[in-house]
C-alpha cells in the first residue's frame, strides 16, 4: 500500500492527536538555517511548517490535503520520489516523520537534494540493534513493529544518500504530537482508539496484533506490572527512543 492509499484510509481523524510539538519544531526550524523558501515533502496536514518562511507543501493523499487548515501553505499532489520542481528550486526541503512510508526512501531523499540546497529530515534510527528494547511498547507489547522495517534502508544508508549528518532528538514526556513513541511516560494514552488511529503503525500491524497489545497493556496497567517494569521512566523529562534529524 502506498503512503497515499494508507492515509486515504486511516487519515480521517489524524488532526485529533497529531499536531506540532514546539520543542521538536524548534530543532527542525533551526536546522533549516536561513532558508527563506522551504519545500515540505510528505506534508500531511501541515504540522511543522514554519510560519515565517515561504513554504510549498507536497502531499500524495487527497484526504490529508483536505484537512490542511485555511491559510496553510499551497500543497501539490505528488510523491517524494518524483518531485515536480526544477533543480535547486528551494533554499531547503524538509520531511517530517514520513520517509518510512515512501516506496523508495533513497530516491525520495535524492529528489529533495536535487530540488533544494539544504535538506532536513526527521526520522527514526531502526538500524540500532537495541532500539526495539528501548521503548517498552515495542519491547513488551508490539514486537511486530520489527517486521514492518525488514528490507528498509538503514539510517546510515539514508544519511549517506544525501551526505547528511545525524543529530539525536529527545522526546519530551508531555509531547504535544501524538506520534508512535510520544506517550512513553503516559501509557494510558495507547488505550485510546483516537490516539492509535493517528499512528500508521497500528494500521500496519493489523487489528489482531493491535487488540492483543491493547488488552495486555490494559491488564498490566491495572495490575501495576507496567509501573514496576518501567519505574525508571517516572523521573525522566525526555527520552531517547531513536528519533533523529538528518541535516545535509
Amino acid at each position: 500500500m502506498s503512503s497515499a492509499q494508507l492515509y486515504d484510509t486511516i487519515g480521517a481523524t489524524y488532526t485529533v492527536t497529531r499536531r506540532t510539538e514546539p520543542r521538536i519544531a524548534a530543532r527542525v526550524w533551526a536546522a533549516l538555517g536561513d532558508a527563506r523558501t522551504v519545500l515540505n515533502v510528505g506534508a500531511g496536514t501541515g504540522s511543522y511548517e514554519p510560519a515565517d518562511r515561504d513554504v510549498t507543501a507536497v502531499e500524495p493523499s487527497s484526504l490529508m490535503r483536505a484537512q490542511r487548515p485555511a491559510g496553510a501553505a499551497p500543497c501539490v499532489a505528488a510523491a517524494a520520489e518524483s518531485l515536480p520542481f526544477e533543480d535547486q528550486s528551494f533554499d531547503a526541503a524538509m520531511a517530517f516523520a514520513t520517509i518510512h512510508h515512501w516506496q523508495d526512501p533513497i530516491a525520495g531523499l535524492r529528489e529533495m537534494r536535487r530540488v533544494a540546497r539544504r535538506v532536513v529530515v526527521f526520522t527514526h534510527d531502526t538500524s540500532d540493534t537495541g532500539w526495539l528494547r528501548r521503548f517498552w511498547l515495542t519491547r513488551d507489547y508490539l514486537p511486530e513493529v520489527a517486521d514492518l522495517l525488514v528490507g528498509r534502508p538503514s539510517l546510515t544508508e539514508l544519511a549517506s544518500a544525501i551526505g547528511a549528518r545525524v543529530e539525536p532528538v529527545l522526546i519530551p514526556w508531555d509531547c504535544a504530537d501524538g506520534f508512535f513513541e510520544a506517550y512513553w511516560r503516559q501509557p494510558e494514552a495507547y488505550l485510546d482508539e483516537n490516539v492509535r488511529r493517528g499512528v500508521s503503525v497500528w494500521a500496519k500491524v493489523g487489528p489482531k496484533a493491535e487488540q492483543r497489545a491493547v488488552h495486555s497493556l490494559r491488564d498490566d496497567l491495572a495490575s501495576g506490572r507496567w509501573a514496576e517494569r518501567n519505574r525508571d521512566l517516572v523521573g525522566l523529562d525526555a527520552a531517547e527512543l531513536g528519533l533523529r534529524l538528518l541535516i545535509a
Side-chain angles (χ1 to χ4, degrees):
M1 182 183 294
S2 71
S3 60
Q5 292 170 324
L6 175 66
Y7 277 95
D8 280 345
T9 301
I10 71 168
T13 60
Y14 190 82
T15 55
V16 173
T17 58
R18 300 302 299 272
R19 56 186 68 90
T20 302
E21 163 49 54
R23 288 157 290 190
I24 295 178
R27 292 283 307 278
V28 174
W29 298 341
L32 292 173
D34 61 359
R36 299 310 309 161
T37 57
V38 177
L39 179 69
N40 187 17
V41 182
T45 59
S47 296
Y48 300 94
E49 290 177 1
D52 60 343
R53 314 196 197 206
D54 181 6
V55 177
T56 300
V58 168
E59 171 54 50
S61 166
S62 59
L63 184 60
M64 298 300 279
R65 292 195 304 271
Q67 294 181 82
R68 291 176 64 82
C75 190
V76 176
E81 296 89 343
S82 183
L83 296 173
F85 305 104
E86 299 295 328
D87 294 359
Q88 304 294 286
S89 297
F90 301 90
D91 295 331
M94 60 177 280
F96 191 94
T98 178
I99 66 172
H100 55 288
H101 295 307
W102 300 354
Q103 294 294 317
D104 187 340
I106 297 294
L109 289 174
R110 287 175 174 160
E111 272 288 88
M112 292 176 70
R113 194 62 163 141
R114 178 185 66 79
V115 303
R117 288 179 284 279
R118 189 172 185 83
V119 175
V120 177
V121 175
F122 179 87
T123 188
H124 197 293
D125 183 6
T126 57
S127 54
D128 177 355
T129 55
W131 74 271
L132 276 174
R133 297 197 59 77
R134 282 206 301 275
F135 185 28
W136 54 263
L137 185 55
T138 50
R139 181 191 68 208
D140 300 330
Y141 303 100
L142 208 60
E144 290 87 353
V145 169
D147 298 332
L148 303 179
L149 300 158
V150 173
R152 304 296 283 179
S154 69
L155 185 74
T156 299
E157 291 170 324
L158 295 174
S160 295
I162 54 172
R165 71 177 187 274
V166 179
E167 295 183 358
V169 179
L170 301 186
I171 307 171
W173 78 269
D174 55 349
C175 184
D177 189 355
F179 52 75
F180 182 60
E181 301 89 351
Y183 302 104
W184 59 270
R185 217 183 84 177
Q186 304 175 72
E188 297 84 359
Y190 294 104
L191 305 181
D192 184 341
E193 186 170 357
N194 284 328
V195 167
R196 300 196 305 275
R197 293 292 70 79
V199 178
S200 62
V201 167
W202 296 102
K204 287 185 172 183
V205 298
K208 184 176 180 180
E210 177 181 4
Q211 290 308 310
R212 186 208 67 239
V214 169
H215 291 156
S216 296
L217 176 58
R218 182 180 290 113
D219 289 347
D220 285 353
L221 288 171
S223 69
R225 188 180 184 194
W226 184 92
E228 176 61 26
R229 275 179 172 172
N230 300 287
R231 58 186 181 275
D232 57 322
L233 300 181
V234 175
L236 297 181
D237 291 329
E240 204 293 88
L241 295 176
L243 300 184
R244 300 288 183 266
L245 275 183
L246 303 181
I247 304 171

